């Protein structure tokens, strides 16, 4: 399931553009593989800050046995890794040294563990005997994804399986999770007990990471004509109304770096080619009774659009993420706009329900 989409970044140089293209390519593969998988949660372009330090993770996958960090590298020629783990790339008709993306991803993993451990009391449950669980033993696997057009020269003494082409990453992730499942099986004869997160812990960690994302400041891309507006990499943040998340620190979003587009305008919406026109009868409910601000509990909300739909509180001016899950099959529902009304629809169950109506004023 895609928890955080890739932020749109306005790259000012060719290297930035190439890097964004590599991340976009991998984000596409991850979405195709895991968009309907509730067991693997995907965060693209996640950036965390702690004290005077910051950590930007290209792609983070959260599952019940731990996490996977994927570092994307734009390589249109060749990269080579020697027996000592040293990296170089072919650029401008010559070999040039480069930092190891494996070590880079491992440093990100250490930062992430320390970051989560600072909030361990809010995120992890205590054991039956009252002891606090910790993130220190949580495994974080790393993968390095090279652009599909690149060539990898591997060391002779190591297959270096954690380095692969972007289109192979999803298969590697599945293999990692499958290996943990085998260890967790009743038929496993090994004495090794895998790290295992409870469902409510996975939910809290997911929402916590989403609210803690601090996008790097970037220029806002202006609208061009009547086309769909494009904004900078500053998505809305916020958590839903899940009672398990009340103790989690909430971060005030930085509104100075983004342009918010009201969905009540007459801007054309991008067509969804997968939308099924024939659905079951719409179930009408009282929308205001379910939708409240996660910060001040007000029901005075409007739905806005920046990358995705979210609630904007008209009282405290803060944002709340919309994460609608189908109560029948557990899949994430899509949002459809019709005038001032907003519907959530499940493609698998062919259901549609009205869940919010924006004020006309």
């Amino acid at each position: 399931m895609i928890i955080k989409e890739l932020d749109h970044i306005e790259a000012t140089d060719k290297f930035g553009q190439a890097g964004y293209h590599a991340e976009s390519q991998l984000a596409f593969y991850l979405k195709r593989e895991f968009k309907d998988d509730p067991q693997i949660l995907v965060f693209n372009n996640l950036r965390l800050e702690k004290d005077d330090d910051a950590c930007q993770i290209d792609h983070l996958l959260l599952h019940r046995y731990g996490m996977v960090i994927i570092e994307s590298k734009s390589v249109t020629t060749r990269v080579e890794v020697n027996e000592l783990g040293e990296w170089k790339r072919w650029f401008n008709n010559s070999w040039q040294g480069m930092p190891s993306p494996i070590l880079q991803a491992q440093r990100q993993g250490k930062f992430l563990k320390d970051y989560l451990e600072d909030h361990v009391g809010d995120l992890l449950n205590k054991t039956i005997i009252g002891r606090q669980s910790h993130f220190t033993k949580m495994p974080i696997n790393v993968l390095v994804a090279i652009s599909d057009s690149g060539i990898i020269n591997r060391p002779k003494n190591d297959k270096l399986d954690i380095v692969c082409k972007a289109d192979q990453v999803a298969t590697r992730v599945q293999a990692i999770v499958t290996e943990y499942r085998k260890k967790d099986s009743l038929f496993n004869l090994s004495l090794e007990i895998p790290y295992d997160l409870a469902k409510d812990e996975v939910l809290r960690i997911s929402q916590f990471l989403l609210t803690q994302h601090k996008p790097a400041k970037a220029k806002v891309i202006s609208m061009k004509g009547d086309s769909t507006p494009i904004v900078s990499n500053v998505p809305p943040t916020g958590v839903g109304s899940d009672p398990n998340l009340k103790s989690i620190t909430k971060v005030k979003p930085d509104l100075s770096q983004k342009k918010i587009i009201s969905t009540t305008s007459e801007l054309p919406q991008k067509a969804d080619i997968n939308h099924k026109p024939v659905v079951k009868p719409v179930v009408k409910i009282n929308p205001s009774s379910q939708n409240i601000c996660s910060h001040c509990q007000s029901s005075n909300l409007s739905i806005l659009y920046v990358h995705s739909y979210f609630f904007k509180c008209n009282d405290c001016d803060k944002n709340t993420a919309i994460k609608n899950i189908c109560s029948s099959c557990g899949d994430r529902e899509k949002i459809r706009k019709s005038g001032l009304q907003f519907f959530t629809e499940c493609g698998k169950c062919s259901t549609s329900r009205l869940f919010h109506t924006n004020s006309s004023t």
Side-chain angles (χ1 to χ4, degrees):
M1 183 179 295
I2 309 301
I3 302 300
K4 182 184 177 301
E5 298 280 1
L6 184 68
D7 297 335
H8 185 90
I9 301 176
E10 183 185 17
T12 57
D13 58 86
K14 64 179 182 180
F15 298 107
Q17 293 172 354
Y20 180 71
H21 176 73
E23 292 180 22
S24 300
Q25 185 182 61
L26 184 52
F28 168 78
Y29 288 130
L30 293 176
K31 188 170 187 177
R32 171 172 285 184
E33 182 71 21
F34 301 116
K35 66 177 181 179
D36 297 321
D37 189 346
Q39 304 299 322
I40 298 180
L41 309 183
V42 180
F43 301 79
N44 295 295
N45 200 229
L46 181 67
R47 186 176 182 274
L48 304 173
E49 294 181 358
K50 180 181 178 182
D51 300 328
D52 296 328
D53 196 5
C55 174
Q56 175 127 359
I57 302 174
D58 290 344
H59 312 275
L60 175 69
L61 280 66
L62 170 64
H63 54 90
R64 63 177 291 186
Y65 302 110
M67 297 180 175
V68 181
I69 289 178
I70 307 170
E71 178 68 18
S72 295
K73 286 302 175 185
S74 173
V75 177
T76 56
T77 54
R78 287 181 290 168
V79 291
E80 183 174 308
V81 189
N82 66 19
E83 287 74 9
L84 299 177
E86 299 167 334
W87 287 65
K88 63 181 179 180
R89 67 191 305 168
W90 184 258
F91 183 71
N92 283 344
N93 296 318
S94 65
W95 286 106
Q96 297 183 9
M98 61 178 288
S100 168
I102 297 176
L103 296 179
Q104 181 181 352
Q106 290 173 348
R107 288 192 293 268
Q108 294 169 358
K110 184 180 184 307
F111 181 100
L112 182 56
K113 275 190 180 182
D114 293 342
Y115 193 94
L116 292 172
E117 187 65 24
D118 288 343
H119 305 272
V120 67
D122 292 328
L123 300 177
L124 295 184
N125 303 326
K126 291 185 177 180
T127 63
I128 298 177
I129 60 176
R131 290 184 179 179
Q132 177 64 61
S133 300
H134 292 277
F135 288 100
T136 52
K137 294 184 179 181
M138 180 183 69
I140 299 182
N141 297 84
V142 301
L143 293 172
V144 176
I146 303 300
S147 304
D148 288 345
S149 58
I151 298 173
I152 306 171
N153 295 339
R154 305 176 187 273
K156 295 180 180 179
N157 63 345
D158 189 352
K159 291 182 179 180
L160 211 62
D161 290 336
I162 61 175
V163 180
C164 59
K165 296 289 192 71
D167 63 348
Q168 298 174 315
V169 166
T171 303
R172 300 292 171 90
V173 171
Q174 294 284 20
I176 290 172
V177 177
T178 299
E179 191 62 28
Y180 286 122
R181 286 199 186 107
K182 289 180 180 178
K183 293 179 180 179
D184 195 33
S185 170
L186 295 175
F187 301 101
N188 179 36
L189 301 179
S190 172
L191 297 178
E192 182 181 356
I193 301 176
Y195 192 90
D196 195 0
L197 293 168
K199 289 184 178 180
D200 61 319
E201 292 175 325
V202 172
L203 175 62
R204 288 198 295 271
I205 295 170
S206 172
Q207 293 291 345
F208 175 74
L209 291 175
L210 191 63
T211 60
Q212 296 298 300
H213 171 62
K214 298 288 186 67
K217 293 183 178 180
K219 295 180 180 179
V220 176
I221 304 175
S222 61
M223 294 168 54
K224 296 181 180 180
D226 294 330
S227 62
T228 303
I230 302 175
V231 298
S232 67
N233 59 328
V234 188
T237 59
V239 295
S241 56
D242 192 298
N244 293 327
L245 305 178
K246 290 182 178 178
S247 62
I248 295 178
T249 303
K250 299 175 179 62
V251 179
K252 183 177 180 181
D254 182 4
L255 301 180
S256 63
Q257 297 296 325
K258 65 182 177 182
K259 179 183 285 295
I260 298 178
I261 311 299
S262 174
T263 57
T264 60
S265 66
E266 297 302 321
L267 291 172
Q269 300 294 316
K270 184 177 180 181
D272 182 0
I273 60 175
N274 295 320
H275 175 65
K276 299 180 180 179
V278 179
V279 296
K280 293 181 181 179
V282 174
V283 179
K284 293 187 177 182
I285 60 174
N286 182 7
S288 60
S289 65
Q290 290 189 348
N291 305 323
I292 60 173
C293 174
S294 61
H295 302 275
C296 69
Q297 312 306 312
S298 170
S299 61
N300 185 16
L301 305 174
S302 295
I303 293 184
L304 303 180
Y305 183 88
V306 179
H307 292 299
S308 61
Y309 290 108
F310 64 98
F311 284 120
K312 182 73 173 181
C313 181
N314 298 319
D315 290 335
C316 71
D317 204 40
K318 294 183 179 180
N319 303 335
T320 296
I322 301 175
K323 299 292 182 184
N324 289 327
I325 304 298
C326 177
S327 58
S328 298
C329 67
D331 279 7
R332 188 171 178 176
E333 296 175 319
K334 292 184 178 180
I335 297 177
R336 175 174 63 87
K337 177 180 180 290
S338 178
L340 298 178
Q341 294 182 324
F342 294 84
F343 300 81
T344 56
E345 300 181 341
C346 177
K348 181 180 292 186
C349 300
S350 297
T351 57
S352 176
R353 67 180 179 89
L354 172 68
F355 83 105
H356 186 78
T357 301
N358 274 353
S359 173
S360 58
T361 57

